[in-house]
Amino acid sequence: MHPFASYVLRSYYKQTGWNEDNLYANLTRSSNALLDFSVPRGLHFSISKSPNPLFKTTYSMNALPSLNGSVGYIFTSCDLDVKGSGDVRFKDMVDRFRVFDQPRRPEGKEEEWLAGERVNTRDYLLYGRIYVPTGRLDALYSTRITPTLQGMIAAISDPRVPLSSERSRSHSPSSNVMFSLQHDTGKVCTEYTWSAEDGMWGVRSLYNFGRLGTHTDSSTEEGEKAGHAPNGKSKVKRVDEEEAMEGGLKGRVSVGGEFYFSAKEKSAGVSTGIRFTTLPDATPPSFQVPSSSAAGPSSLRGPPSQPPTTITALFNPMLGHISGAYAARVSRDLSLASRFDFNVYSYESEWSMGAEWWQRRGKVRHPSDSPDAPQPSLPDLADEVQGVVKAKVSTTTDVSLLWEGRLRNVLVSLGVVSNLSSRSKPIKSIGLELSYFSSG
């Protein structure tokens, strides 16, 4: 379950038109949602409130295994439509398998002029959190410099950190300041980073093959997904649209890499990756909102022409690590993923499998097999998502189970991690997380 602060940050990106999914760091996000989901440990509570569209507060407490808590504040320059935990779209609060839309060039906010002078300022977000009783402080500042350029500053201050000579032996969290500059043109997204603690410089870049999406396409996405143009006429296929190969998948390819080095630590690293993902279906099983004169079985459509699929491969030559992952949605409510990791130097390997299954209210047949498709609110087709069950198993003998759902107005996460090969301690950890937040 996303923390409230992460939900607000994603809402800020959406409001300002920034695509965080176009970063090289998020290349494997779809498969990670099924294979690397986090399971709560102990007992955790969080309560958050949005007094107004610009300011938010959040409080959290861990009751087990030790008692501690935190207080956080968030301020944004733009109004955010942040829902309460009882009416927020549940899928916006969890990591899940997704096939992302075509990348688009970011657009900035419209200029506002008064008496010949520009009066509007660039968007920004401020976030701070203090932990008790440790006194650790986390801070984040994000601002939109230009329509295609975003800057971020993150800081950590921990008074418990020992001297630098003892830090390497204790592995304690350290105080640090990190800078990030992200440049996204849609086709290419590059991120430059610097960390003050170890003097680490880094650059990441992702290149997307194929044509870019347009914001006009985004505004008419619902109509086009139903196979119709915005004016209600049949959709006319463009000559530059990709053709699906016989017996294959229609999709796009993205390639990227990263390089980082530290003169202080006298270390460096490099990695590269590639991702294939199917394009959002041009004629998925969607339906038109029936009017009084045109409602009936003709508005329901058949199965998708291809299963939503993502295939990724990563290679780190310096560490000798190779990773390949495959994830697909095999039915409306079931997605599966598999990943194989191998080290060419030590010959160590790991095979992981994961799945997610969506739970819905009632057993009403829904005309869409795609959870990402926009769903008009119709009383006779009510099919609200109530929760999701995730499971992961790997050759390390660890098995992780997680249920995330909503009980009345509270978001709940319940999970367990077990070791099947251990008879003395088969349960490694178990946890429960409860989250409530209001919008007013």
Side-chain angles (χ1 to χ4, degrees):
M1 194 75 66
H2 292 314
F4 179 75
S6 298
Y7 167 55
V8 174
L9 181 62
R10 291 173 182 240
S11 300
Y12 167 76
Y13 287 150
K14 182 178 180 180
Q15 178 66 26
T16 57
W18 188 258
N19 183 15
E20 61 172 335
D21 299 318
N22 204 28
L23 296 172
Y24 175 76
N26 297 328
L27 186 72
T28 60
R29 170 172 283 187
S30 291
S31 58
N32 288 350
L34 279 66
L35 298 170
D36 296 318
F37 57 86
S38 59
V39 176
R41 298 174 182 268
L43 188 58
H44 180 79
F45 304 93
S46 65
I47 300 177
S48 307
K49 184 176 178 61
S50 301
N52 58 66
L54 301 179
F55 184 70
K56 282 84 179 170
T57 59
T58 177
Y59 312 91
S60 66
M61 182 183 70
N62 294 316
L64 293 173
S66 60
L67 183 62
N68 55 73
S70 65
V71 180
Y73 300 94
I74 308 172
F75 182 82
T76 58
S77 61
C78 55
D79 294 349
L80 300 183
D81 184 18
V82 175
K83 307 292 185 181
S85 56
D87 53 6
V88 66
R89 186 172 183 258
F90 180 75
K91 292 183 179 180
D92 291 338
M93 297 303 301
V94 296
D95 283 324
R96 56 192 173 92
F97 171 81
R98 292 181 59 189
V99 172
F100 301 102
D101 201 359
Q102 291 174 291
R104 297 177 172 87
R105 183 181 179 89
E107 291 185 353
K109 62 191 304 184
E110 295 184 359
E111 297 181 356
E112 298 179 8
W113 297 83
L114 180 62
E117 295 184 0
R118 186 176 178 180
V119 295
N120 63 324
T121 59
R122 60 172 179 251
D123 292 318
Y124 63 88
L125 177 144
L126 287 170
Y127 165 72
R129 178 180 291 269
I130 185 170
Y131 296 82
V132 291
T134 62
R136 169 176 165 169
L137 179 65
D138 294 349
L140 174 68
Y141 172 70
S142 175
T143 183
R144 192 73 167 272
I145 302 174
T146 68
T148 61
L149 197 64
Q150 177 173 263
M152 296 181 65
I153 303 176
I156 301 174
S157 177
D158 196 333
R160 301 173 301 163
V161 175
L163 297 177
S164 58
S165 59
E166 303 174 355
R167 184 181 306 162
S168 58
R169 297 195 300 267
S170 63
H171 301 285
S172 300
S174 59
S175 302
N176 191 16
V177 177
M178 295 159 285
F179 297 87
S180 174
L181 187 65
Q182 301 170 352
H183 183 224
D184 185 10
T185 62
K187 197 76 168 180
V188 181
C189 182
T190 305
E191 181 182 16
Y192 309 91
T193 60
W194 180 73
S195 175
E197 180 190 17
D198 50 8
M200 182 75 72
W201 294 87
V203 57
R204 299 167 176 168
S205 186
L206 183 69
Y207 179 83
N208 300 292
F209 291 91
R211 63 182 179 87
L212 295 178
T214 63
H215 293 272
T216 303
D217 295 337
S218 177
S219 63
T220 62
E221 182 180 8
E222 182 175 346
E224 293 191 354
K225 282 188 175 181
H228 292 265
N231 58 7
K233 299 181 181 179
S234 298
K235 181 183 175 183
V236 178
K237 193 171 185 178
R238 296 189 297 269
V239 296
D240 62 343
E241 284 192 69
E242 296 90 341
E243 291 288 344
M245 297 179 62
E246 186 68 23
L249 294 175
K250 178 182 178 181
R252 64 179 184 272
V253 176
S254 302
V255 297
E258 67 174 341
F259 174 76
Y260 51 91
F261 72 95
S262 172
K264 180 179 179 180
E265 300 290 339
K266 296 182 175 61
S267 62
V270 64
S271 73
T272 184
I274 184 172
R275 178 183 62 193
F276 169 83
T277 180
T278 53
L279 292 174
D281 204 335
T283 56
S286 184
F287 66 94
Q288 303 168 344
V289 180
S291 61
S292 57
S293 59
S298 60
S299 61
L300 302 180
R301 307 183 68 87
S305 62
Q306 59 181 2
T309 304
T310 298
I311 305 173
T312 57
L314 298 175
F315 177 53
N316 189 320
M318 301 190 70
L319 299 179
H321 179 249
I322 301 176
S323 177
Y326 176 91
R329 182 181 300 124
V330 296
S331 70
R332 176 178 62 130
D333 296 326
L334 179 63
S335 299
L336 303 175
S338 178
R339 182 179 62 204
F340 182 74
D341 296 277
F342 180 74
N343 191 286
V344 298
Y345 300 140
S346 64
Y347 298 105
E348 294 180 349
S349 63
E350 180 183 3
W351 183 34
S352 305
M353 296 179 292
E356 68 176 11
W357 175 57
W358 295 93
Q359 298 173 311
R360 301 177 185 271
R361 175 183 298 173
K363 296 183 179 180
V364 182
R365 182 192 173 205
H366 202 284
S368 176
D369 286 339
S370 174
D372 295 326
Q375 304 297 342
S377 178
L378 298 177
D380 58 334
L381 287 170
D383 195 8
E384 181 184 356
V385 171
Q386 292 298 296
V388 60
V389 178
K390 293 186 178 183
K392 174 197 172 184
V393 62
S394 69
T395 53
T396 60
T397 68
D398 281 354
V399 177
S400 301
L401 295 175
L402 175 68
W403 177 80
E404 295 177 305
R406 176 160 38 203
L407 299 178
R408 295 185 180 273
N409 294 328
V410 179
L411 298 177
V412 182
S413 295
L414 176 63
V416 60
V417 179
S418 62
N419 189 338
L420 299 181
S421 64
S422 176
R423 295 185 178 181
S424 60
K425 191 179 180 182
I427 304 298
K428 298 180 63 175
S429 66
I430 187 171
L432 174 65
E433 180 179 346
L434 304 175
S435 177
Y436 172 82
F437 49 92
S438 61
S439 57

